[in-house]
Every structure is written in structure tokens, then in C-alpha cells.
Amino acid sequence: MTYQLPSLPYAYDALEPHVDTRTMELHHGRRHAGYVERLNHVLQQCTDLEGLSLEEIISDIRVVPEELRQELRFNGGGHLNHSLFWHILGPGKGPKRPEGQLLRAFESTFGQIEAFRQEFARAALSRMGSGWAWLSLDNHAHLEILTTPNEDSPIMLGYRPILGLDLWEHAYYLKYPDRREEYIQAWWNVVHWDKVAELYVHFLEMVSRT
Ligand code: MN
């Protein structure tokens, strides 16, 4: 299977002023495009994996020949992570916080939404170097905050991510050079909670069927 760079569901400048246009151009048009290109290159060398989805491959990386494993883990994770990242962001037209079923899950897991934001930001700030902060569902459909290094996906750990924050410097350094905390605070303004809630309900249904 050949993967393609998903088109951004909004313009490069749509997340201004919180995420700047140039960062978006480079992040989507160069960085993510690069992951897709290298992922396809690696997959061309593992014809045995045809028929498996990228999620299936990533969740059991041992199916990949050892000499290609690291490259597939990095570029495959990068493709999945960024595809989710673009999807759950938007120009701030939706609600400023989760609603409905997701809100109730938030309240029973974290208490007030502000407590969740603080816990998530703490996790994001404690991740040294490059990586991601996530809100994911575990096997029992419980919400959990976790972080991963590099381009590792929560899918590798058996989680289903519904919200992800890119903590690589390439995601913020043009506008917030060494100020990850400021980037995290600004980022909440462009989270598209309706999309996060859709993913939540989707995975909830999946888990309840298994
Ligand atoms: Mn990135």
C-alpha cells in the first residue's frame, strides 16, 4: 500500500496567531511529507506486509524485518501521529471544551476540565526532548494521559489516541523559540473538540464490541 500526505482540512494560516503559517507550511508540507515518502520507501522493501494496515504493523512492530524496523517505526509513527494531529486541530470555531459524552468521561476521570489541562501540560513539559503528549483510551475505554518519545505512537502501547500534542521543536520554535509552555497554552485555542469527541465515541463503540 502506498500512503499519501493527507491534505490539511484548513488553510496553512488558519491557526494564526496561535500556530503560525510558516510553521504549518514546513510542518505539514515538508516534515509530514518526508515521513510519508520514507514510509513508502521502507514499505516497498517489505512486501510481506501488504494487506496489513499501518496501525496493525505499528502495534506489532516485530512483523517488520529487523533491519527496517527502526525506520518503519519512526516514519510510520510520524505519519499516523501527524495525520491525527491535523485532524484534531481547527480554526477555533467549535466549543472551547469537550461536550456531551466526552465531557462526562473527562469529569469522572480528571474532575474539572482545568484539572485535565494542567495534568496534560505537566506531562507535556516533563517529556524530555522530542516526543508527544497524548490523551488516549486504554483497553477498558478509560481516558489516560501519556507521553511518547520521538515519533512513537500510543498504538504501539495498546492505546487508542484521541488527542495528541506534538512536542518536537519543529512544531513551535519559529514562534515560541524556547517556550514550550507558552506553545502548549496557545495550542488549546486551536483544539477542535468536536473531532476529539467523534474519535472518543468511535473508539468507545469499538471497545464495547470486543
Ligand atoms: Mn511534528
Side-chain angles (χ1 to χ4, degrees):
M1 163 148 193
T2 305
Y3 289 90
Q4 287 187 335
L5 179 67
S7 57
L8 210 59
Y10 36 80
Y12 280 130
D13 63 359
L15 307 182
E16 290 273 7
H18 309 292
V19 183
D20 63 282
T21 307
R22 188 67 185 137
T23 294
M24 289 299 290
E25 287 170 353
L26 293 169
H27 199 176
H28 175 266
R30 302 286 286 279
R31 176 75 56 165
H32 188 173
Y35 288 137
V36 172
E37 193 184 321
R38 288 189 298 274
L39 169 64
N40 285 328
H41 182 72
V42 187
L43 283 173
Q44 274 169 14
Q45 299 165 69
C46 0
T47 43
D48 289 357
L49 303 178
E50 267 173 34
L52 290 180
S53 71
L54 187 53
E55 285 87 347
E56 285 169 322
I57 297 171
I58 286 285
S59 62
D60 186 9
I61 197 76
R62 289 163 306 174
V63 299
V64 180
E66 195 172 352
E67 66 276 15
L68 299 172
R69 214 171 275 167
Q70 272 310 103
E71 216 178 326
L72 202 142
R73 177 180 187 149
F74 188 74
N75 295 294
H79 175 48
L80 288 175
N81 293 346
H82 287 85
S83 298
L84 175 69
F85 190 58
W86 311 131
H87 181 71
I88 52 99
L89 299 183
K93 291 196 177 117
K96 293 283 173 209
R97 55 186 62 221
E99 290 179 343
Q101 218 172 347
L102 181 58
L103 177 63
R104 287 190 290 281
F106 261 81
E107 288 175 343
S108 69
T109 311
F110 305 106
Q112 294 298 312
I113 184 74
E114 196 46 42
F116 160 74
R117 272 190 230 253
Q118 282 174 17
E119 198 178 318
F120 191 89
R122 240 193 330 269
L125 287 168
S126 69
R127 164 54 60 190
M128 300 290 172
S130 298
W132 290 75
W134 303 98
L135 177 67
S136 302
L137 273 73
D138 68 12
N139 287 334
H140 308 287
H142 294 139
L143 291 173
E144 199 173 312
I145 294 170
L146 62 145
T147 69
T148 55
N150 307 314
E151 290 293 353
D152 280 4
S153 159
I155 297 171
M156 294 172 183
L157 306 167
Y159 289 91
R160 296 172 174 86
I162 61 171
L163 176 75
L165 170 58
D166 192 336
L167 298 171
W168 283 62
E169 284 188 348
H170 69 233
Y172 64 87
Y173 78 106
L174 290 180
K175 188 174 171 82
Y176 310 94
D178 55 353
R179 305 192 301 275
R180 185 186 274 190
E181 189 164 8
E182 209 178 305
Y183 159 65
I184 296 168
Q185 293 312 321
W187 179 76
W188 293 119
N189 292 299
V190 293
V191 171
H192 198 328
W193 284 108
D194 288 343
K195 298 284 183 195
V196 181
E198 269 172 37
L199 287 170
Y200 175 70
V201 170
H202 171 71
F203 287 136
L204 211 54
E205 284 167 1
M206 266 176 62
V207 171
S208 68
R209 276 201 303 268
T210 53

